[in-house]
Amino acid sequence: MATLEDKLMGEKLEYYCSSSEGEDNGDDDGGERDASGSKQGTSGYIDPDVCPPPPAEGYRSQASTNTGPKGVVQDWQRFKQLQTEKREESERQRIELAKKMSMTTATAKEEEERKRQEEIDAELDELMSEDFLQQYQKKRMTEMLRQCGHIKQFGKVFQLTTHEEFLDFIENENKHTTVIIHIYDKNISACATLNRCMDTLATEYLSIKFGKICSSVAGMSRDFRANGLPALLVYKAQVLIGNFVRVTDDLSDDFFPSDVESFLIENGIVVDKALYN
């Protein structure tokens, strides 16, 4: 019979079979050994209940698998391995799920940002439209003119007959009023054309003070009358802000009120009447 020490050491004694009395008596002659080396009794018969036959080749009983410290350690190692594999599989599934959720969230966020950008672009397109800008400029100009006290209107071109009138025309005016004076000569056809254009513009730009004076009355030299006319002088708050001599270099010899208007707008002298009239 196997001792406790034998079991603890993992010795396999399942197939150990005593020959009963012969072994107890220390008699080596009481029986013969068979081909497998097992000791037989005198009769040569092995009781299968007392000493079962060895298992068939390739068979391993469950009892032998889990018996002894070695079997316990192997089972524990296998258990821990299965736990590790299960944790790794759970972690892999968790990561895949997180990726899917992240992709879904990112896609929804990108779609929301795209829609918001489209709304902003649409608002910008509306704000940058020509009609909106013109309306805004017109409103802004109206507010600025009201704040500056641009209430006075003129509507005509004033003929200045003396040098004193010329000075009073400039000095005795509101600092916010733009004053445009044409210096002309009766013998120059371009000067006559410019006078007619100013008559038209004065009825369209009511807040601008238009005037004209003959070059001889203004005290211009003969050389200036020959090479500098027609000339336009622009004042604001008694300060000369525009001095355009021989404007036909920009307008040509044949021009119209719209040409003069465009010339003044391009040079920043007047603001398009459509913005505040």
Side-chain angles (χ1 to χ4, degrees), residues 58-250:
Y59 172 80
R60 185 179 182 184
S61 66
Q62 185 175 0
S64 64
T65 301
N66 299 323
T67 303
K70 293 182 179 179
V72 172
V73 171
Q74 291 177 353
D75 290 344
W76 175 253
Q77 291 176 343
R78 179 57 179 166
F79 172 74
K80 297 299 291 183
Q81 181 182 2
L82 291 175
Q83 273 192 329
T84 302
E85 293 177 354
K86 185 176 181 180
R87 282 198 302 270
E88 291 176 351
E89 178 64 19
S90 298
E91 182 67 13
R92 185 185 64 80
Q93 293 178 355
R94 186 187 68 80
I95 292 175
E96 291 181 355
L97 180 59
K99 288 181 178 180
K100 291 180 180 179
M101 293 180 65
S102 176
M103 292 176 62
T104 303
T105 303
T107 302
K109 186 176 181 180
E110 291 174 357
E111 181 65 18
E112 183 179 354
E113 291 180 352
R114 185 185 64 80
K115 290 182 179 179
R116 178 56 182 164
Q117 187 61 44
E118 289 180 352
E119 293 176 357
I120 294 175
D121 292 341
E123 292 177 0
L124 287 176
D125 290 341
E126 182 178 355
L127 291 175
M128 294 303 293
S129 65
E130 185 176 355
D131 293 340
F132 178 85
L133 290 177
Q134 289 181 352
Q135 291 177 1
Y136 176 80
Q137 290 176 350
K138 182 176 181 179
K139 181 179 179 181
R140 183 58 181 159
M141 285 300 303
T142 302
E143 293 176 356
M144 291 176 63
L145 293 174
R146 185 182 300 111
Q147 293 174 0
C148 293
H150 259 171
I151 302 174
K152 190 174 180 179
Q153 295 182 343
F154 304 97
K156 67 177 183 178
V157 178
F158 295 88
Q159 177 69 57
L160 308 176
T161 59
T162 66
H163 191 266
E164 289 74 15
E165 285 185 0
F166 174 79
L167 295 178
D168 291 340
F169 193 77
I170 298 169
E171 294 175 356
N172 298 331
E173 192 52 64
N174 187 293
K175 64 180 180 178
H176 301 295
T177 300
T178 300
V179 179
I180 301 177
I181 300 176
H182 175 212
I183 301 177
Y184 68 95
D185 191 294
K186 297 178 179 179
N187 299 320
I188 300 176
S189 61
C191 290
T193 302
L194 185 55
N195 279 332
R196 288 193 297 272
C197 291
M198 289 182 61
D199 288 337
T200 301
L201 294 177
T203 61
E204 296 178 354
Y205 291 87
L206 301 178
S207 61
I208 296 177
K209 189 176 183 181
F210 289 92
K212 60 183 179 179
I213 186 171
C214 183
S215 59
S216 59
V217 175
M220 298 300 174
S221 66
R222 182 178 298 178
D223 184 65
F224 183 84
R225 291 198 299 267
N227 299 300
L229 301 182
L232 289 176
L233 303 180
V234 183
Y235 293 86
K236 197 166 189 178
Q238 304 180 19
V239 177
L240 182 66
I241 63 173
N243 181 20
F244 307 100
V245 296
R246 201 165 63 187
V247 294
T248 50
D249 291 346
D250 296 300

